[in-house]
Amino acid sequence: MAGFRDFLMRFRPVGLPGPAAAGGVPADRSAELAAELEPPLVLLEETEAEARAVRERADEEATRRRRAAERTAKDIVEQARARAPVVREQSAALVRDATKAEATELLAAAARDTAVLRRRIELRTPALVDRLVDALDKELTAPDDERREGGPPPWAPAG
């Protein structure tokens, strides 16, 4: 009679196909692979769940930050709108001051030009008056036949 060990040997896995071997049951490769892959797949499922939780927390944090940024932006816009009249007034004052300074400078330049022009007039007027008086004296004291008809007046500068 066969012993218990021999009985169990009938159920040991054997590979298919292959050379003839002692009797046994065919090897269940899919069960072996499933048993081999089960621990890493369980770990992978845990990692996937952890990744899902991380993504959910990240989405929540992104939403929280987006809302905070929107509130901050809204506050900045409100502050800017509140300050706008003051800034406009300051800018207008700067432009007014610059314009006043430019106008003052232009008036001073015009006064200088006017003074130079008056000085030139003061210097040239006596000589011009003397030439005019001499020309009129000659014209008025000359006999009628020597008087010029047409042409430039005698006091005009020679050209």
Side-chain angles (χ1 to χ4, degrees), residues 13-56:
V14 292
L16 289 178
V25 291
D28 187 3
R29 293 284 181 212
S30 61
E32 287 178 10
L33 288 175
E36 182 180 330
L37 290 177
E38 188 173 340
L41 289 176
V42 168
L43 290 175
L44 187 60
E45 287 175 0
E46 291 173 3
T47 305
E48 187 178 337
E50 185 179 337
R52 193 175 315 114
V54 167
R55 275 194 304 271
E56 288 172 1

CSV table of all heavy atoms in Angstrom, one decimal, residues 13-56:
chain,number,residue,atom,x,y,z
A,13,PRO,N,2.6,20.1,-8.3
A,13,PRO,CA,2.4,20.7,-9.6
A,13,PRO,C,3.5,20.2,-10.6
A,13,PRO,O,4.7,20.0,-10.2
A,13,PRO,CB,2.6,22.2,-9.3
A,13,PRO,CG,2.8,22.3,-7.9
A,13,PRO,CD,2.9,21.0,-7.3
A,14,VAL,N,3.1,20.1,-11.8
A,14,VAL,CA,4.1,19.7,-12.9
A,14,VAL,C,3.9,20.7,-14.0
A,14,VAL,O,2.8,21.2,-14.2
A,14,VAL,CB,3.9,18.3,-13.4
A,14,VAL,CG1,4.3,17.3,-12.3
A,14,VAL,CG2,2.5,18.0,-13.8
A,15,GLY,N,4.9,20.9,-14.8
A,15,GLY,CA,4.8,21.8,-15.9
A,15,GLY,C,4.2,21.2,-17.1
A,15,GLY,O,4.3,20.0,-17.3
A,16,LEU,N,3.5,21.9,-17.9
A,16,LEU,CA,2.9,21.4,-19.2
A,16,LEU,C,3.5,22.3,-20.3
A,16,LEU,O,3.6,23.5,-20.1
A,16,LEU,CB,1.4,21.5,-19.1
A,16,LEU,CG,0.7,20.5,-18.2
A,16,LEU,CD1,-0.8,20.8,-18.3
A,16,LEU,CD2,1.0,19.1,-18.6
A,17,PRO,N,3.6,21.9,-21.4
A,17,PRO,CA,4.0,20.6,-21.8
A,17,PRO,C,5.4,20.3,-21.4
A,17,PRO,O,6.1,21.3,-21.1
A,17,PRO,CB,3.8,20.6,-23.3
A,17,PRO,CG,4.0,22.0,-23.7
A,17,PRO,CD,3.6,22.8,-22.5
A,18,GLY,N,5.9,19.2,-21.5
A,18,GLY,CA,7.2,18.9,-21.2
A,18,GLY,C,7.5,17.4,-21.2
A,18,GLY,O,6.6,16.6,-21.7
A,19,PRO,N,8.6,17.1,-20.8
A,19,PRO,CA,8.9,15.6,-20.8
A,19,PRO,C,8.0,14.9,-19.9
A,19,PRO,O,7.5,15.5,-18.9
A,19,PRO,CB,10.4,15.6,-20.4
A,19,PRO,CG,10.6,16.8,-19.7
A,19,PRO,CD,9.7,17.8,-20.2
A,20,ALA,N,8.0,13.6,-20.1
A,20,ALA,CA,7.1,12.8,-19.2
A,20,ALA,C,7.7,12.9,-17.8
A,20,ALA,O,8.9,12.9,-17.6
A,20,ALA,CB,7.1,11.4,-19.7
A,21,ALA,N,6.8,12.9,-16.9
A,21,ALA,CA,7.2,13.0,-15.5
A,21,ALA,C,6.3,12.1,-14.7
A,21,ALA,O,5.4,11.5,-15.2
A,21,ALA,CB,7.1,14.5,-15.0
A,22,ALA,N,6.6,12.1,-13.4
A,22,ALA,CA,5.8,11.3,-12.6
A,22,ALA,C,4.4,11.8,-12.6
A,22,ALA,O,4.2,13.0,-12.8
A,22,ALA,CB,6.4,11.2,-11.2
A,23,GLY,N,3.5,11.1,-12.3
A,23,GLY,CA,2.1,11.5,-12.3
A,23,GLY,C,1.9,12.6,-11.3
A,23,GLY,O,2.5,12.8,-10.3
A,24,GLY,N,1.0,13.5,-11.6
A,24,GLY,CA,0.6,14.6,-10.8
A,24,GLY,C,-0.5,15.4,-11.4
A,24,GLY,O,-1.0,15.0,-12.5
A,25,VAL,N,-0.8,16.5,-10.8
A,25,VAL,CA,-1.8,17.4,-11.4
A,25,VAL,C,-1.2,18.5,-12.2
A,25,VAL,O,0.0,18.9,-11.8
A,25,VAL,CB,-2.7,18.0,-10.3
A,25,VAL,CG1,-3.6,16.9,-9.7
A,25,VAL,CG2,-2.0,18.7,-9.3
A,26,PRO,N,-1.8,19.0,-13.2
A,26,PRO,CA,-1.1,20.1,-13.9
A,26,PRO,C,-1.0,21.3,-13.0
A,26,PRO,O,-1.8,21.6,-12.2
A,26,PRO,CB,-2.1,20.3,-15.1
A,26,PRO,CG,-3.2,19.3,-15.0
A,26,PRO,CD,-3.0,18.6,-13.7
A,27,ALA,N,0.1,22.0,-13.3
A,27,ALA,CA,0.4,23.2,-12.5
A,27,ALA,C,-0.6,24.3,-12.9
A,27,ALA,O,-0.9,24.5,-14.0
A,27,ALA,CB,1.8,23.7,-12.7
A,28,ASP,N,-1.1,25.1,-11.9
A,28,ASP,CA,-2.0,26.2,-12.1
A,28,ASP,C,-1.2,27.5,-12.1
A,28,ASP,O,-1.0,28.1,-11.1
A,28,ASP,CB,-3.1,26.1,-11.0
A,28,ASP,CG,-4.2,27.1,-11.3
A,28,ASP,OD1,-4.2,27.8,-12.4
A,28,ASP,OD2,-5.1,27.3,-10.4
A,29,ARG,N,-0.8,27.8,-13.3
A,29,ARG,CA,0.1,29.0,-13.4
A,29,ARG,C,-0.7,30.3,-13.1
A,29,ARG,O,-0.1,31.2,-12.5
A,29,ARG,CB,0.7,29.1,-14.8
A,29,ARG,CG,1.6,28.0,-15.2
A,29,ARG,CD,2.9,28.3,-14.5
A,29,ARG,NE,3.9,27.2,-14.8
A,29,ARG,CZ,4.8,26.8,-14.0
A,29,ARG,NH1,4.9,27.3,-12.8
A,29,ARG,NH2,5.6,25.9,-14.4
A,30,SER,N,-1.9,30.4,-13.5
A,30,SER,CA,-2.7,31.6,-13.2
A,30,SER,C,-2.9,31.8,-11.7
A,30,SER,O,-2.8,32.9,-11.2
A,30,SER,CB,-4.0,31.6,-13.9
A,30,SER,OG,-4.8,30.5,-13.4
A,31,ALA,N,-3.0,30.7,-10.9
A,31,ALA,CA,-3.2,30.8,-9.5
A,31,ALA,C,-1.8,31.2,-8.9
A,31,ALA,O,-1.8,32.1,-8.0
A,31,ALA,CB,-3.6,29.5,-8.9
A,32,GLU,N,-0.7,30.7,-9.4
A,32,GLU,CA,0.6,31.1,-8.9
A,32,GLU,C,0.8,32.5,-9.2
A,32,GLU,O,1.4,33.3,-8.3
A,32,GLU,CB,1.7,30.2,-9.6
A,32,GLU,CG,1.7,28.8,-9.1
A,32,GLU,CD,2.8,28.0,-9.8
A,32,GLU,OE1,3.6,28.6,-10.6
A,32,GLU,OE2,2.8,26.8,-9.6
A,33,LEU,N,0.5,33.0,-10.4
A,33,LEU,CA,0.7,34.4,-10.8
A,33,LEU,C,-0.1,35.3,-9.9
A,33,LEU,O,0.3,36.4,-9.5
A,33,LEU,CB,0.5,34.6,-12.2
A,33,LEU,CG,1.5,34.1,-13.2
A,33,LEU,CD1,1.0,34.3,-14.7
A,33,LEU,CD2,2.8,34.7,-13.0
A,34,ALA,N,-1.4,34.9,-9.7
A,34,ALA,CA,-2.3,35.7,-8.9
A,34,ALA,C,-1.7,35.8,-7.5
A,34,ALA,O,-1.8,36.9,-6.8
A,34,ALA,CB,-3.7,35.1,-8.9
A,35,ALA,N,-1.3,34.7,-6.9
A,35,ALA,CA,-0.7,34.7,-5.6
A,35,ALA,C,0.5,35.5,-5.5
A,35,ALA,O,0.8,36.2,-4.5
A,35,ALA,CB,-0.4,33.2,-5.1
A,36,GLU,N,1.3,35.5,-6.6
A,36,GLU,CA,2.6,36.2,-6.6
A,36,GLU,C,2.3,37.7,-6.8
A,36,GLU,O,3.0,38.6,-6.2
A,36,GLU,CB,3.4,35.8,-7.8
A,36,GLU,CG,4.8,36.4,-7.9
A,36,GLU,CD,5.6,35.9,-9.1
A,36,GLU,OE1,5.4,34.8,-9.5
A,36,GLU,OE2,6.3,36.7,-9.6
A,37,LEU,N,1.3,38.1,-7.6
A,37,LEU,CA,1.0,39.5,-7.8
A,37,LEU,C,0.1,40.2,-6.8
A,37,LEU,O,-0.1,41.4,-6.8
A,37,LEU,CB,0.4,39.7,-9.2
A,37,LEU,CG,1.4,39.4,-10.4
A,37,LEU,CD1,0.6,39.5,-11.7
A,37,LEU,CD2,2.6,40.4,-10.3
A,38,GLU,N,-0.6,39.4,-6.0
A,38,GLU,CA,-1.5,39.9,-5.1
A,38,GLU,C,-0.9,40.9,-4.1
A,38,GLU,O,-1.5,42.0,-3.9
A,38,GLU,CB,-2.2,38.8,-4.3
A,38,GLU,CG,-3.4,39.3,-3.5
A,38,GLU,CD,-4.2,38.2,-2.8
A,38,GLU,OE1,-4.1,37.1,-3.3
A,38,GLU,OE2,-4.9,38.5,-1.8
A,39,PRO,N,0.2,40.7,-3.4
A,39,PRO,CA,0.8,41.7,-2.5
A,39,PRO,C,1.1,43.0,-3.2
A,39,PRO,O,0.8,44.1,-2.7
A,39,PRO,CB,2.0,41.0,-1.9
A,39,PRO,CG,1.7,39.5,-2.1
A,39,PRO,CD,0.9,39.4,-3.3
A,40,PRO,N,1.8,43.0,-4.4
A,40,PRO,CA,2.1,44.3,-5.0
A,40,PRO,C,0.9,45.0,-5.5
A,40,PRO,O,0.8,46.2,-5.4
A,40,PRO,CB,3.0,43.9,-6.2
A,40,PRO,CG,3.5,42.6,-6.0
A,40,PRO,CD,2.5,41.9,-5.0
A,41,LEU,N,-0.2,44.3,-5.9
A,41,LEU,CA,-1.4,44.9,-6.4
A,41,LEU,C,-2.1,45.5,-5.2
A,41,LEU,O,-2.7,46.6,-5.3
A,41,LEU,CB,-2.3,43.9,-7.1
A,41,LEU,CG,-1.8,43.5,-8.5
A,41,LEU,CD1,-2.7,42.4,-9.1
A,41,LEU,CD2,-1.7,44.6,-9.4
A,42,VAL,N,-2.1,44.9,-4.0
A,42,VAL,CA,-2.7,45.4,-2.8
A,42,VAL,C,-2.0,46.7,-2.5
A,42,VAL,O,-2.6,47.8,-2.2
A,42,VAL,CB,-2.7,44.4,-1.7
A,42,VAL,CG1,-3.0,45.1,-0.4
A,42,VAL,CG2,-3.6,43.3,-1.9
A,43,LEU,N,-0.7,46.7,-2.5
A,43,LEU,CA,0.1,47.9,-2.3
A,43,LEU,C,-0.2,49.0,-3.3
A,43,LEU,O,-0.3,50.2,-3.0
A,43,LEU,CB,1.6,47.6,-2.3
A,43,LEU,CG,2.1,46.8,-1.1
A,43,LEU,CD1,3.6,46.5,-1.3
A,43,LEU,CD2,2.0,47.6,0.2
A,44,LEU,N,-0.4,48.6,-4.6
A,44,LEU,CA,-0.7,49.5,-5.6
A,44,LEU,C,-2.1,50.2,-5.4
A,44,LEU,O,-2.3,51.4,-5.6
A,44,LEU,CB,-0.7,48.9,-7.0
A,44,LEU,CG,-0.8,49.7,-8.2
A,44,LEU,CD1,0.3,50.8,-8.3
A,44,LEU,CD2,-0.8,48.9,-9.5
A,45,GLU,N,-3.0,49.4,-4.9
A,45,GLU,CA,-4.3,49.9,-4.6
A,45,GLU,C,-4.3,50.9,-3.5
A,45,GLU,O,-4.9,52.0,-3.5
A,45,GLU,CB,-5.3,48.8,-4.2
A,45,GLU,CG,-5.7,47.9,-5.4
A,45,GLU,CD,-6.6,46.8,-5.0
A,45,GLU,OE1,-6.9,46.6,-3.8
A,45,GLU,OE2,-7.0,46.0,-5.9
A,46,GLU,N,-3.4,50.6,-2.5
A,46,GLU,CA,-3.3,51.5,-1.3
A,46,GLU,C,-2.6,52.8,-1.8
A,46,GLU,O,-3.0,53.9,-1.4
A,46,GLU,CB,-2.4,50.9,-0.3
A,46,GLU,CG,-3.0,49.7,0.5
A,46,GLU,CD,-2.1,49.0,1.4
A,46,GLU,OE1,-0.9,49.5,1.5
A,46,GLU,OE2,-2.5,48.0,2.0
A,47,THR,N,-1.6,52.7,-2.7
A,47,THR,CA,-1.0,53.9,-3.3
A,47,THR,C,-1.9,54.7,-4.1
A,47,THR,O,-1.9,55.9,-4.1
A,47,THR,CB,0.3,53.5,-4.1
A,47,THR,OG1,1.1,52.6,-3.3
A,47,THR,CG2,1.0,54.7,-4.6
A,48,GLU,N,-2.8,54.0,-4.9
A,48,GLU,CA,-3.8,54.7,-5.7
A,48,GLU,C,-4.7,55.5,-4.8
A,48,GLU,O,-5.1,56.6,-5.1
A,48,GLU,CB,-4.5,53.7,-6.6
A,48,GLU,CG,-5.4,54.3,-7.6
A,48,GLU,CD,-6.1,53.3,-8.4
A,48,GLU,OE1,-5.6,52.2,-8.6
A,48,GLU,OE2,-7.2,53.6,-9.0
A,49,ALA,N,-5.2,54.9,-3.7
A,49,ALA,CA,-6.1,55.5,-2.8
A,49,ALA,C,-5.4,56.7,-2.2
A,49,ALA,O,-6.0,57.8,-2.0
A,49,ALA,CB,-6.6,54.5,-1.7
A,50,GLU,N,-4.1,56.5,-1.8
A,50,GLU,CA,-3.4,57.7,-1.2
A,50,GLU,C,-3.2,58.8,-2.2
A,50,GLU,O,-3.4,60.0,-1.9
A,50,GLU,CB,-2.0,57.2,-0.7
A,50,GLU,CG,-1.2,58.2,0.0
A,50,GLU,CD,0.2,57.7,0.4
A,50,GLU,OE1,0.3,56.5,0.6
A,50,GLU,OE2,1.1,58.5,0.6
A,51,ALA,N,-2.9,58.5,-3.5
A,51,ALA,CA,-2.8,59.5,-4.5
A,51,ALA,C,-4.1,60.2,-4.7
A,51,ALA,O,-4.2,61.4,-4.9
A,51,ALA,CB,-2.3,58.8,-5.8
A,52,ARG,N,-5.2,59.5,-4.7
A,52,ARG,CA,-6.6,60.1,-4.8
A,52,ARG,C,-6.8,61.1,-3.7
A,52,ARG,O,-7.3,62.2,-3.9
A,52,ARG,CB,-7.6,59.0,-4.8
A,52,ARG,CG,-9.0,59.5,-5.3
A,52,ARG,CD,-10.0,58.3,-5.4
A,52,ARG,NE,-9.5,57.1,-6.1
A,52,ARG,CZ,-9.3,55.9,-5.5
A,52,ARG,NH1,-9.6,55.8,-4.2
A,52,ARG,NH2,-8.9,54.9,-6.2
A,53,ALA,N,-6.4,60.7,-2.5
A,53,ALA,CA,-6.6,61.5,-1.3
A,53,ALA,C,-5.7,62.8,-1.5
A,53,ALA,O,-6.2,63.9,-1.1
A,53,ALA,CB,-6.3,60.8,0.0
A,54,VAL,N,-4.5,62.6,-1.9
A,54,VAL,CA,-3.6,63.8,-2.1
A,54,VAL,C,-4.2,64.7,-3.2
A,54,VAL,O,-4.2,65.9,-3.0
A,54,VAL,CB,-2.2,63.3,-2.6
A,54,VAL,CG1,-1.3,64.4,-3.1
A,54,VAL,CG2,-1.5,62.6,-1.4
A,55,ARG,N,-4.7,64.2,-4.3
A,55,ARG,CA,-5.3,65.0,-5.3
A,55,ARG,C,-6.5,65.8,-4.8
A,55,ARG,O,-6.7,66.9,-5.1
A,55,ARG,CB,-5.8,64.2,-6.5
A,55,ARG,CG,-4.7,63.9,-7.5
A,55,ARG,CD,-5.2,63.3,-8.8
A,55,ARG,NE,-6.0,62.1,-8.7
A,55,ARG,CZ,-5.5,60.9,-8.7
A,55,ARG,NH1,-4.2,60.7,-8.8
A,55,ARG,NH2,-6.3,59.9,-8.5
A,56,GLU,N,-7.3,65.1,-4.0
A,56,GLU,CA,-8.5,65.8,-3.4
A,56,GLU,C,-8.1,66.9,-2.4
A,56,GLU,O,-8.6,68.0,-2.5
A,56,GLU,CB,-9.4,64.8,-2.6
A,56,GLU,CG,-10.1,63.8,-3.5
A,56,GLU,CD,-10.8,62.7,-2.8
A,56,GLU,OE1,-10.7,62.7,-1.5
A,56,GLU,OE2,-11.5,61.8,-3.4
